Amino acid sequence: MTKFILAIDQGTTSSRAILFDRAGHIHGAAQQEFRQFFPQPGWVEHDANEIWQSQRAVIDEVLRTNHVAASDIAAIGIANQRETTVLWDRATGEPVAPAIVWQDRRSTPCCEALRADGHEDLFQQKTGLVLDAYFSGPKLKWLLDNVPGARARAARGELAFGTVDSWLIFKMSGKHLTDPSNAARTLMFNIHTARWDDELLALLDIPPGLLPTVVASSGVAAHTDPQLFGVALPIAGIAGDQQAATFGQACHSPGMAKNTYGTGCFMLMHTGQTATMSKNKLISTIGWTLPKGTDYLLEGSVFMAGAAIQWLRDGLGIIKHAAEVEELALAVPDNGGVLFVPAFAGLGAPHWDAYARGTMVGMTRGTNKSHIARATLESIALQSADVLVAMQADAAMPLTQLRVDGGAARNNLLMQFQADILGVPVVRPVVTETTALGAAFLAGLAVGFWASQEEIAAQWQMERRFEPAMSVDERAQRMDEWRRAVERSRAWSQ
Ligand SMILES: Nc1ncnc2c1ncn2[C@@H]1O[C@H](COP(=O)(O)OP(=O)(O)O)[C@@H](O)[C@H]1O
Ligand SMILES: O=P(O)(O)OC[C@H](O)CO
């Protein structure tokens, strides 16, 4: 009998491979960072070959170091950084250009032109998204317009587009596939009909022949080339990493929500089996498709969260490791009046301001690095609070608790401040690798490794609960101060 599900978590900064047993426990994990390229201000690129090579290496490593044979694997589940756009040659399997990463802002002019032509509402109604450079369609258009010969090669059917899930599946099986949770991030996919949308493709000038076939998030979609791992393994789970984390956090019913604190922050709330269209600049997205149907989520994406901690480490050099930020911030009783808006790449939800820039206000001669560390941690929670306010207004469902995960969710000071500023309990699970767990669950359900959603939801266990302790008045005052700071960061580079 097979013993494990192999989850692939291909993130923005690292590739991970994690083995889960039947109890949903981690049996082994391997991780490898890969390079980030910043060739121009506002541009962020990855080498798609390096993504695949690092992913392949960690799969080999996790099997080898844990003495697990590929034949012990029941199925593979994939969770991936979303929106990042890869364009490759179908025959050679070689990318035609560096992958354009979700954080990259170069396709802002394309979005502005579509907006100026009055198409914003159409895109929003069909895709649930905001017309922003964050999403894949404008990135793909940029590649077709700027990589020499790409448009002609696309017209001849020589090229394939995919988000990172598609790219990894192509490398492992030769199939050109994606799932609805990833397709829903492209501005080319109608989330109500769950099909690529010809009208939107025409507006973006994208040939439909470039697009992958859309298959269910949970179901055997392909088998790996037997030469890769010695046996052909079923690829049975596919989801964008944030939707996978929502599934892994067992947020399976309306009103349940999670927030992931990684490079960015991604808060997602389950809204049921039809899309709730946001009136407050959040996005509606497909969560996952199971044989019984499609679940929808509301999402608020914050672009700069843990990345701001990395900036304290790499840009300012005031910490050596991300985890040191907690001790540094605790050296002062409060932020000393300092507020920091880390809008290094503009602001995401609910502001969607591509021209906002990082801003620190309230400094005096007494400000020191601990105040800056504290303000940076608080900025992560305050950005998430902006999203939650919009979410509560859209969903008309009060949040009873927020489930959390991601690298920065290990920070207790941050989690306590998050509970304080939201006025909602923050709950951290035992297994914080919820992205990989969600991908594993989707794959395991498809091959009968787990019997039902109820069985996997029962595996979710709390590690720690942070109760809100801030007074209502103080919360209101802190949110008001924050709004004033955000205003000062906005439209700066326009
Ligand atoms: N103890 C900590 N306190 C605050 N931030 C942290 C801490 N540990 C890690 N981080 C931040 O969390 C991020 C890594 O989290 P992870 O979930 O691995 O991100 P991603 O999947 O986006 O690569 C980094 O940006 C790092 O700065
Ligand atoms: O790789 P992460 O965890 O930073 O997630 C990135 C998101 O999927 C971008 O939308």
Side-chain angles (χ1 to χ4, degrees):
M1 196 158 91
T2 52
K3 300 176 191 144
F4 305 106
I5 298 286
L6 172 63
I8 287 175
D9 177 4
Q10 204 305 303
T12 311
T13 56
S14 71
S15 298
R16 282 179 237 195
I18 302 186
L19 292 165
F20 287 98
D21 65 17
R22 249 167 243 278
H25 294 147
I26 293 176
H27 179 76
Q31 176 169 3
Q32 204 176 96
E33 292 203 1
F34 56 89
R35 287 174 299 168
Q36 312 285 313
F37 300 96
F38 308 103
Q40 292 189 32
W43 290 30
V44 188
E45 296 180 346
H46 289 160
D47 174 347
N49 277 327
E50 201 181 336
I51 287 181
W52 162 236
Q53 280 148 12
S54 59
Q55 195 60 67
R56 170 87 209 265
V58 292
I59 294 172
D60 289 344
E61 184 186 335
V62 79
L63 296 178
R64 192 181 60 249
T65 55
N66 293 284
H67 311 291
V68 169
S71 53
D72 287 336
I73 307 292
I76 294 179
I78 300 176
N80 55 286
Q81 56 165 322
R82 306 166 305 167
E83 299 97 14
T84 297
T85 298
V86 190
L87 184 62
W88 70 90
D89 184 306
R90 289 180 190 276
T92 64
E94 278 301 309
V96 304
I100 304 183
V101 178
W102 58 276
Q103 296 149 319
D104 189 294
R105 311 305 305 168
R106 81 183 69 172
S107 47
T108 299
C110 161
C111 298
E112 282 174 347
L114 287 166
R115 205 172 294 126
D117 289 344
H119 299 305
E120 188 167 22
D121 287 349
L122 183 75
F123 276 95
Q124 207 250 347
Q125 283 156 18
K126 288 189 167 190
T127 68
L129 305 177
V130 171
L131 196 45
D132 189 84
Y134 175 27
F135 303 107
S136 313
K139 296 183 196 293
L140 176 56
K141 177 170 165 46
W142 189 96
L143 287 171
L144 292 174
D145 291 344
N146 290 278
V147 175
R151 221 169 243 295
R153 290 170 72 189
R156 291 198 295 270
E158 292 169 15
L159 303 184
F161 149 79
T163 39
V164 170
D165 55 317
S166 297
W167 170 243
L168 295 176
I169 293 167
F170 180 79
K171 284 294 181 190
M172 288 193 286
S173 72
K175 295 261 164 55
H176 187 206
L177 307 172
T178 191
D179 92 301
S181 73
N182 277 294
R185 317 297 299 187
T186 61
L187 282 167
M188 302 186 282
F189 191 73
N190 186 319
I191 57 168
H192 312 287
T193 60
R195 288 179 195 283
W196 298 116
D197 190 285
D198 288 337
E199 189 180 12
L200 302 181
L201 290 170
L203 285 171
L204 284 162
D205 201 9
I206 306 283
L210 279 176
L211 304 176
T213 303
V214 183
V215 298
S217 314
S218 181
V220 177
H223 284 84
T224 59
D225 180 339
Q227 293 192 331
L228 270 182
F229 308 118
V231 286
L233 294 173
I235 300 171
I238 313 168
D241 56 8
Q242 301 310 322
Q243 290 97 326
T246 311
F247 200 73
Q249 285 272 28
C251 295
H252 297 170
S253 51
M256 295 185 79
K258 71 91 198 175
N259 199 17
T260 297
Y261 301 78
T263 306
C265 261
F266 300 92
M267 192 185 293
L268 288 91
M269 179 188 268
H270 194 290
T271 57
Q273 273 72 47
T274 52
T276 298
M277 303 309 281
S278 177
K279 295 188 175 59
N280 295 285
K281 296 200 158 184
L282 300 180
I283 59 183
S284 298
T285 198
I286 289 180
W288 46 81
T289 48
L290 302 174
K292 67 180 179 190
T294 299
D295 285 18
Y296 290 85
L297 309 171
L298 261 180
E299 172 173 337
S301 328
V302 167
F303 295 153
M304 219 41 79
I309 308 296
Q310 286 171 342
W311 176 72
L312 297 182
R313 185 191 64 188
D314 308 332
L316 295 190
I318 60 174
I319 49 174
K320 284 208 174 62
H321 302 286
E324 288 171 16
V325 69
E326 189 163 358
E327 196 185 335
L328 183 61
L330 280 168
V332 286
D334 54 41
N335 64 18
V338 178
L339 279 98
F340 176 35
V341 186
F344 297 138
L347 287 169
H351 309 288
W352 299 104
D353 183 344
Y355 300 105
R357 286 297 175 268
T359 304
M360 212 174 281
V361 294
M363 284 182 289
T364 64
R365 185 64 185 80
T367 298
N368 65 35
K369 59 186 180 183
S370 289
H371 296 117
I372 292 174
R374 198 148 184 141
T376 307
L377 279 177
E378 290 181 356
S379 76
I380 297 173
L382 286 157
Q383 292 182 93
S384 297
D386 279 346
V387 169
L388 188 76
V389 168
M391 205 166 258
Q392 302 267 38
D394 271 337
M397 274 183 271
L399 190 69
T400 52
Q401 58 164 236
L402 182 67
R403 296 186 170 187
V404 298
D405 52 61
R410 284 194 289 266
N411 190 307
N412 293 331
L413 180 64
L414 170 59
M415 292 301 104
Q416 183 57 52
F417 183 70
Q418 186 70 88
D420 288 346
I421 203 70
L422 295 180
V424 169
V426 163
V427 182
R428 194 166 59 196
V430 172
V431 177
T432 52
E433 294 286 359
T434 55
T435 298
L437 184 58
F441 281 160
L442 289 168
L445 280 176
V447 297
F449 192 79
W450 290 294
S452 66
Q453 240 176 300
E454 290 68 32
E455 181 187 345
I456 57 180
Q459 292 183 350
W460 188 93
Q461 277 183 307
M462 181 178 86
E463 181 256 327
R464 184 161 167 183
R465 183 179 167 103
F466 299 84
E467 294 292 345
M470 190 179 273
S471 72
V472 173
D473 286 351
E474 186 180 349
R475 192 178 305 138
Q477 182 231 321
R478 298 291 303 264
M479 286 303 290
D480 185 54
E481 256 175 21
W482 169 248
R483 272 179 212 115
R484 287 163 52 217
V486 168
E487 273 318 307
R488 281 167 172 73
S489 78
R490 295 200 57 172
W492 181 258
S493 73
Q494 205 147 20

